[in-house]
Amino acid sequence: MKKEVTIVGAGLVGSLLSIGFARRGYKVKVFERRPDMRKAKGEAGRSINLALSDRGLLALERVGMAEEIKKIAIPMHGRFIHNQDGTNAFQPYGKQGQFINSVSRSALNMKMMDLAEKEGIGIYFEQACTGIDWIQNKVTFGPRNVSSEFELLFAADGAFSAARLQYQLQHDKFNYAQEYIDCGYKELHIPPGTGGTFQLEKNALHIWPRTEYMLIALPNLDGSFTCTLFFPFEGPVSFASLHTEEKVNSFFKEVFPDTITLIPDLSKQFFNNPTSSLVTVRCYPWIDKDRFAMIGDAAHAIVPFFGQGMNCGFEDCRILDELIDTYKEDWEKILPAYQVLRKTDADAIAEMALNNFTEMREKT
């Protein structure tokens, strides 16, 4: 087999995977459905800030990227709880010196694409996967139906993976399930204070737990906080019921009173930013012989309440890299071993992530 790898998806996992292969001397091509986010104006309101933990850092360290990524991250030493009565409490995550890291999804993705290109990796944007020929080992990308032959193909194109769909359509006995929860999310933004100061405790993950729903906030380098409201779609208290500016302002004043002064344009943000859904994806098998594998959310999308979606995708990359050493680049052994090792863990953490929604909104 030639040392050539094709990756569908230039997101966080696809970028890290490409760097790992490039460091091993592979010729790597990455195809991405979206425009280059470093040049295009990003779509606001669809990002949940990420919590980079030891699981993810270990994978970054394996390819020598951890220190570079830490430069755009903020340590969070614990949870800062905001109660409805105005009281608050700080709950450390572990012993002194232990923390997770807040990092902007877009800033992290752009940094990793920069690092990938420095490795000589070709990233081709606005190239959506439209077909895979499993006989001739060719993958086709739109809108111009450009075909590319592949020796080894990875689907790293997220929860709604086009490459996974192509596999599903053409293979028998492929198990696939997706499950949406009855809550969605909406991003809100707390701007920095005067002189770029933080209006809340900088080194903490802020949570406003309210039993059936919650608001969280993670710090950004510029002094702002990215907030995410996890909220029911329907019902007496829901996205559907908060349909006027008056109702939004009244609700936040009653339920999240300390946020009113922090988010001066609350109602504008609430109606301008999209409401997005949350899905768990399970599928099997993840691989096809020695030529194709799904990785990251394409294989195991989870809800964000355990803060481990990205970290698990990064761990996929680390385990795969270790298996390349173990089996001396014998892909007939590497891919089955990768599937066995990661499938069980992915199923387990998907359940833990769902359970942690109850923990965070009710029991913190």
Side-chain angles (χ1 to χ4, degrees), residues 37-226:
M37 64 194 308
R38 296 166 296 179
K39 300 176 182 178
K41 184 178 179 180
E43 182 180 15
R46 287 190 182 275
S47 171
I48 298 176
N49 265 40
L50 302 167
L52 178 62
S53 68
D54 287 350
R55 187 189 302 271
L57 283 170
L58 191 60
L60 293 171
E61 287 170 0
R62 187 167 176 87
V63 293
M65 290 174 52
E67 293 307 313
E68 192 70 21
I69 298 304
K70 286 178 182 178
K71 294 177 183 177
I72 59 171
I74 296 177
M76 298 185 294
H77 295 274
R79 299 184 292 201
F80 195 102
I81 307 301
H82 299 257
N83 295 310
Q84 192 166 346
D85 62 6
T87 61
N88 52 58
F90 181 76
Q91 301 173 350
Y93 280 126
K95 298 177 181 178
Q96 188 171 1
Q98 293 181 320
F99 55 86
I100 58 177
N101 300 273
S102 172
V103 63
S104 160
R105 179 186 296 273
S106 58
L108 178 57
N109 205 162
M110 289 188 285
K111 170 67 77 172
M112 293 182 71
M113 286 193 292
D114 286 343
L115 294 171
E117 288 181 338
K118 285 182 180 179
E119 297 288 335
I121 295 163
I123 305 177
Y124 304 92
F125 295 97
E126 298 183 76
Q127 299 293 324
C129 176
T130 55
I132 299 176
D133 185 330
W134 300 100
I135 297 174
Q136 298 188 47
N137 284 1
K138 286 185 178 181
V139 56
T140 303
F141 299 95
R144 298 181 180 86
N145 291 326
V146 176
S147 292
S148 177
E149 294 184 1
F150 64 86
E151 290 285 330
L152 186 57
L153 177 65
F154 282 89
D157 51 340
F160 303 101
S161 168
R164 183 189 63 219
L165 176 61
Q166 292 299 318
Y167 186 82
Q168 180 180 359
L169 291 173
Q170 299 181 56
H171 287 77
D172 282 339
K173 300 179 181 177
F174 180 76
N175 295 312
Y176 174 79
Q178 64 180 33
E179 179 183 2
Y180 288 91
I181 63 173
D182 58 5
C183 286
Y185 72 91
K186 185 181 290 288
E187 179 186 309
L188 301 169
H189 182 74
I190 296 175
T194 305
T197 57
F198 290 84
Q199 297 196 68
L200 298 170
E201 166 58 41
K202 172 184 177 182
N203 297 112
L205 191 159
H206 294 264
I207 307 178
W208 289 258
R210 297 296 185 264
T211 308
E212 297 300 323
Y213 46 87
M214 67 177 178
L215 179 71
I216 68 171
L218 279 74
N220 297 306
L221 292 174
D222 65 355
S224 67
F225 287 81
T226 297

Side-chain angles (χ1 to χ4, degrees), residues 13 155-159 164 281 286 294-302 309-310 312-314 316-317 338 346:
V13 173
D157 51 340
R164 183 189 63 219
V281 171
W286 292 1
M294 303 167 206
I295 194 164
D297 282 358
H300 51 73
I302 64 176
M310 170 193 66
C312 284
F314 282 5
D316 289 347
C317 297
Y338 155 75

Side-chain angles (χ1 to χ4, degrees), residues 239-251 267 270-271:
F239 285 121
S241 68
L242 299 183
H243 52 78
T244 67
E245 290 189 8
E246 181 181 1
K247 287 188 175 183
V248 170
N249 291 324
S250 176
F251 174 77
S267 58
F270 191 90
F271 290 109

